[in-house]
Amino acid sequence: MEKEQYVCLVCGFNMVGFHPDRCPFCGAARKHFLTAAECSARFRVVSTPVNGKVTRLNSRPALGIEHAAYRIETGRGACWIDCPSCFDASLARADAIFFTHHHFLGASNLYRGHFKAAVHIHQRDSAHAICRPFTFDSTFEERFVHNGIEAFPIDGHTPGFTLYIFEDVLFICDYVFVGQGAMKYNPFGPADRTVAGGSRIGEILEGRALAKVCGYDYVADYADWKRLFDAGPTFGGY
Ligand SMILES: [Zn+2]
Ligand SMILES: [Zn+2]
């Protein structure tokens, strides 16, 4: 790890190349920061299978606003959707990291160097100030398919929010929150655009036979998830 790098224990954000007084993501004070090396010593990343080709990745113990990343064995190389906050050098290599949005960049700069992986994010999310210390190998604006992984830019929760579908698995990150038999839109974004993006998600999912949904803190059966989605997620009242 050549560059100075700190990890915020409150949210998991990695501060690359600088040591601010407050976390640029959540505002926590410096006393809550570890160096990336200390973080790697204290946390590891555990892999939990979702199906035969998809694996969930989580920091253990939970790190900050703990979020799941996912590994996909595409048949033409492994790819990640999003990235853990903790750098764990023991993880199997991935060729590429695709971001759903700029909220969970994790230790992607360290994995990028370690794996020699290419990092991809939507152009509009890459422009956010929080992304400046991170390297992206490519930015995209339109739908694309990479080794069977379909990418659908949605906008909404963030301007470049992108969902992914691989075979029968949907990767939706934190666009909606699921709990207690109800679904809510993520409130940390513009309400009108988030709800409008929800309509686009509905169109993309129309007629698709999916089996699983991989979210930022859950894996759900698609049928259960879709029932809640079709009932209409609410926005507000959190
Ligand atoms: Zn933070
Ligand atoms: Zn988010």
Side-chain angles (χ1 to χ4, degrees):
M1 296 177 191
E2 311 104 32
K3 269 189 178 177
E4 181 179 40
Q5 182 155 337
Y6 298 90
V7 181
C8 173
L9 290 176
V10 175
C11 73
F13 185 69
N14 277 243
M15 290 154 271
V16 182
F18 65 120
H19 191 191
D21 288 333
R22 297 209 163 262
C23 170
F25 191 84
C26 77
R30 220 182 230 240
K31 65 180 180 197
H32 300 291
F33 303 168
L34 292 182
T35 66
E38 288 166 345
C39 183
S40 294
R42 198 191 289 187
F43 296 84
R44 65 199 177 95
V45 175
V46 295
S47 303
T48 311
V50 173
N51 65 21
K53 296 181 182 175
V54 178
T55 309
R56 176 177 176 167
L57 305 173
N58 274 100
S59 300
R60 277 278 164 80
L63 174 48
I65 306 168
E66 175 61 23
H67 64 278
Y70 295 91
R71 175 186 177 87
I72 304 173
E73 305 295 344
T74 68
R76 285 188 284 160
C79 296
W80 283 7
I81 305 293
D82 295 324
C83 184
S85 294
C86 163
F87 176 67
D88 184 335
S90 73
L91 292 178
R93 183 174 181 276
D95 295 332
I97 300 172
F98 293 92
F99 280 112
T100 55
H101 65 315
H102 61 57
H103 285 166
F104 300 124
L105 299 173
S108 61
N109 65 313
L110 299 178
Y111 286 108
R112 177 180 177 273
H114 181 64
F115 291 156
K116 306 220 175 338
V119 180
H120 309 264
I121 194 168
H122 193 287
Q123 192 276 329
R124 285 202 296 277
D125 272 17
S126 76
H128 195 281
I130 212 88
C131 295
R132 211 161 288 144
F134 290 85
T135 303
F136 304 117
D137 297 280
S138 87
T139 59
F140 55 84
E141 294 178 79
E142 307 292 336
R143 293 181 180 192
F144 64 88
V145 182
H146 175 89
N147 293 353
I149 301 170
E150 298 174 80
F152 297 92
I154 299 297
D155 191 342
H157 171 54
T158 63
F161 189 95
T162 301
L163 68 77
Y164 298 90
I165 295 175
F166 177 74
E167 297 184 346
D168 59 359
V169 182
L170 166 66
F171 299 88
I172 195 74
C173 196
D174 62 357
Y175 205 95
V176 290
F177 296 159
V178 179
Q180 282 143 21
M183 187 178 277
K184 293 180 172 187
Y185 283 116
N186 189 324
F188 299 101
D192 52 344
R193 294 176 74 148
T194 300
V195 175
S199 304
R200 284 189 287 281
I201 293 171
E203 288 162 19
I204 290 162
L205 298 180
E206 184 73 43
R208 284 194 180 247
L210 302 180
K212 293 281 183 193
V213 183
C214 292
Y216 89 108
D217 69 346
Y218 63 87
V219 173
D221 284 326
Y222 179 72
D224 298 336
W225 184 95
K226 187 68 163 41
R227 208 170 299 123
L228 296 176
F229 184 80
D230 287 343
T234 54
F235 194 102
Y238 297 92

